């Protein structure tokens, strides 16, 4: 196993319900360390830039409007196989298909309002982390 970093976003549906601490506890209980974190309110243009890979998908407008609707918490998680571990802790995108004990099973409201985002691969993680954080902000 290898030590990795991955981006995590606690989405507006979760920040509105004050779930940041409970979600972070799940990451930490799974052996992931939070090495950078900030709360911010994305503009629509920022959300569109971050999710540009999905610009031709039918859900793009709804996703970006949702992500700009309220504050989010962006953070960098670090640990052994952090990408896969984070994705396991998050659970399936559709909360109805998520395993018991996962973030999405416990907290997601719907497929669209599924409480968290996580990078899906090392290259994606590097790009997504760089979108929100400078190297000086990553303190491991």
């Amino acid at each position: 196993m290898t030590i990795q970093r991955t981006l995590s976003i606690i989405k507006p549906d979760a920040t509105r319900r004050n779930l940041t601490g409970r979600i972070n506890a799940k990451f930490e209980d799974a052996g992931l360390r939070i090495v950078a974190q900030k709360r911010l309110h994305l503009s629509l243009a920022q959300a569109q830039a971050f999710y540009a890979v999905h610009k031709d998908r039918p859900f793009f407008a709804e996703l970006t409007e949702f992500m700009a609707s309220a504050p989010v918490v962006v953070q960098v998680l670090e640990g052994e196989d952090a990408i896969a571990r984070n994705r396991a802790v998050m659970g399936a995108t559709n909360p109805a298909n998520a395993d018991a004990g996962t973030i999405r099973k416990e907290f997601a409201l719907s497929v669209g309002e599924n409480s968290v985002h996580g990078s899906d691969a090392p290259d994606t993680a590097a790009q997504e982390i760089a979108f929100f954080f400078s190297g000086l902000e990553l303190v491991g």
Side-chain angles (χ1 to χ4, degrees):
M1 290 200 212
T2 150
I3 300 297
Q4 294 177 319
R5 288 183 172 168
T6 188
L7 184 81
S8 167
I9 302 176
I10 301 175
K11 294 182 177 182
D13 62 293
T15 62
R16 279 189 196 107
R17 292 178 291 143
N18 215 22
L19 297 174
T20 301
R22 292 172 67 189
I23 290 171
N24 282 342
K26 287 193 169 286
F27 294 136
E28 291 176 335
D29 289 347
L32 296 166
R33 289 182 340 127
I34 300 167
V35 298
Q37 182 182 69
K38 56 187 162 186
R39 183 180 179 95
L40 48 89
H41 195 146
L42 295 172
S43 69
L44 181 58
Q46 289 168 323
Q48 290 169 336
F50 181 75
Y51 286 106
V53 67
H54 298 302
K55 71 179 184 288
D56 295 326
R57 309 277 301 265
F59 59 82
F60 180 73
E62 183 179 356
L63 171 63
T64 56
E65 288 169 13
F66 166 63
M67 291 300 290
S69 69
V72 297
V73 174
V74 294
Q75 53 197 7
V76 179
L77 306 176
E78 180 182 82
E80 288 186 18
D81 288 326
I83 295 166
R85 188 173 296 204
N86 178 41
R87 295 185 71 76
V89 171
M90 289 190 310
T93 302
N94 183 341
N97 300 332
D99 291 337
T102 62
I103 292 168
R104 289 177 172 151
K105 188 65 160 187
E106 290 188 23
F107 303 124
L109 300 174
S110 67
V111 173
E113 293 183 303
N114 62 18
S115 299
V116 286
H117 164 92
S119 304
D120 62 1
D123 290 346
T124 308
Q127 293 168 359
E128 291 181 346
I129 289 168
F131 186 90
F132 289 108
F133 295 96
S134 74
L136 293 173
E137 294 175 295
L138 302 174
V139 287

